[in-house]
Amino acid sequence: MSDDHETATDPDDVTLSRIETEVALLMRLGEATRRATGTAEHRVLDRAAYVILRHLDATGPQNVSALAARLNLDGSTVTRQVAALQRDGLIDRAPDPTDGRGTVISPTPAGLHRMAAVQAARVRLYGDMLADWDPADRDNLAEMLRRLNEALERRTRRR
């Protein structure tokens, strides 16, 4: 028997292949669900703006470089996204207290309001989709996703 055949039937490899398939489907279906959701609440922020506002809400004001590093994005990409958020009145810039030459960004009340509306709509959506799940299964899913996200973050920081 060849090594390739043994690897293909290794239970751990089979499980990892299933995980890879399910994550790929999750990403595709998650985006398709976001696009197909008809409520205006889901469309008040694009995905990038939502992620930036959620991060700033959780961590406090930051400069663009720190934000880009934390979100694993190119600085120029974050700069463009931040400019759009500022133009829409969703973030403010202020002098960086640790470096007078720089600025930090923080969400405005309008930005936090829109972010909260999107978050609430998403919570309702997942509540509807998972309504027939046992609460322990929902809790287990949340914990497993948290652990997966932590592993993905560790992986991207090693690059």
Side-chain angles (χ1 to χ4, degrees):
M1 191 179 283
S2 74
D3 286 341
D4 288 344
H5 181 68
E6 290 174 22
T7 301
T9 59
D10 180 309
D12 196 42
D13 286 347
V14 170
T15 299
L16 292 172
S17 180
R18 287 179 55 214
I19 291 168
E20 183 279 328
T21 298
E22 295 303 329
V23 168
L25 286 170
L26 175 66
M27 292 181 346
R28 182 181 64 78
L29 291 170
E31 181 59 21
T33 300
R34 186 190 66 78
R35 283 192 318 265
T37 300
T39 64
E41 294 162 309
H42 288 271
R43 293 188 306 268
V44 297
L45 287 174
D46 67 28
R47 184 178 46 205
Y50 179 74
V51 169
I52 288 171
L53 288 167
R54 285 288 307 258
H55 178 69
L56 291 172
D57 184 42
T59 62
Q62 292 187 1
N63 65 40
V64 171
S65 297
L67 185 60
R70 178 64 177 94
L71 298 177
N72 197 35
L73 294 169
D74 182 70
S76 63
T77 300
V78 174
T79 298
R80 283 191 305 277
Q81 292 168 342
V82 164
L85 286 165
Q86 186 175 17
R87 188 175 53 249
D88 292 342
L90 303 178
I91 60 142
D92 280 329
R93 289 182 186 264
D96 187 336
T98 63
D99 177 4
R101 299 167 298 177
T103 61
V104 294
I105 57 171
S106 59
T108 64
L112 292 174
H113 179 73
R114 282 198 199 175
M115 182 206 67
V118 172
Q119 183 180 16
R122 288 179 174 192
V123 167
R124 283 192 305 277
L125 176 67
Y126 285 110
D128 290 346
M129 289 189 298
L130 303 175
D132 62 343
W133 285 36
D134 182 86
D137 287 342
R138 289 192 307 261
D139 190 57
N140 189 41
L141 174 62
E143 179 60 18
M144 294 298 104
L145 289 170
R146 182 195 64 76
R147 289 178 57 193
L148 177 60
N149 283 325
E150 284 181 355
L152 290 167
E153 283 185 35
R154 282 192 307 273
R155 180 70 173 204
T156 58
R157 287 190 188 132
R158 278 193 252 152
R159 291 170 47 219

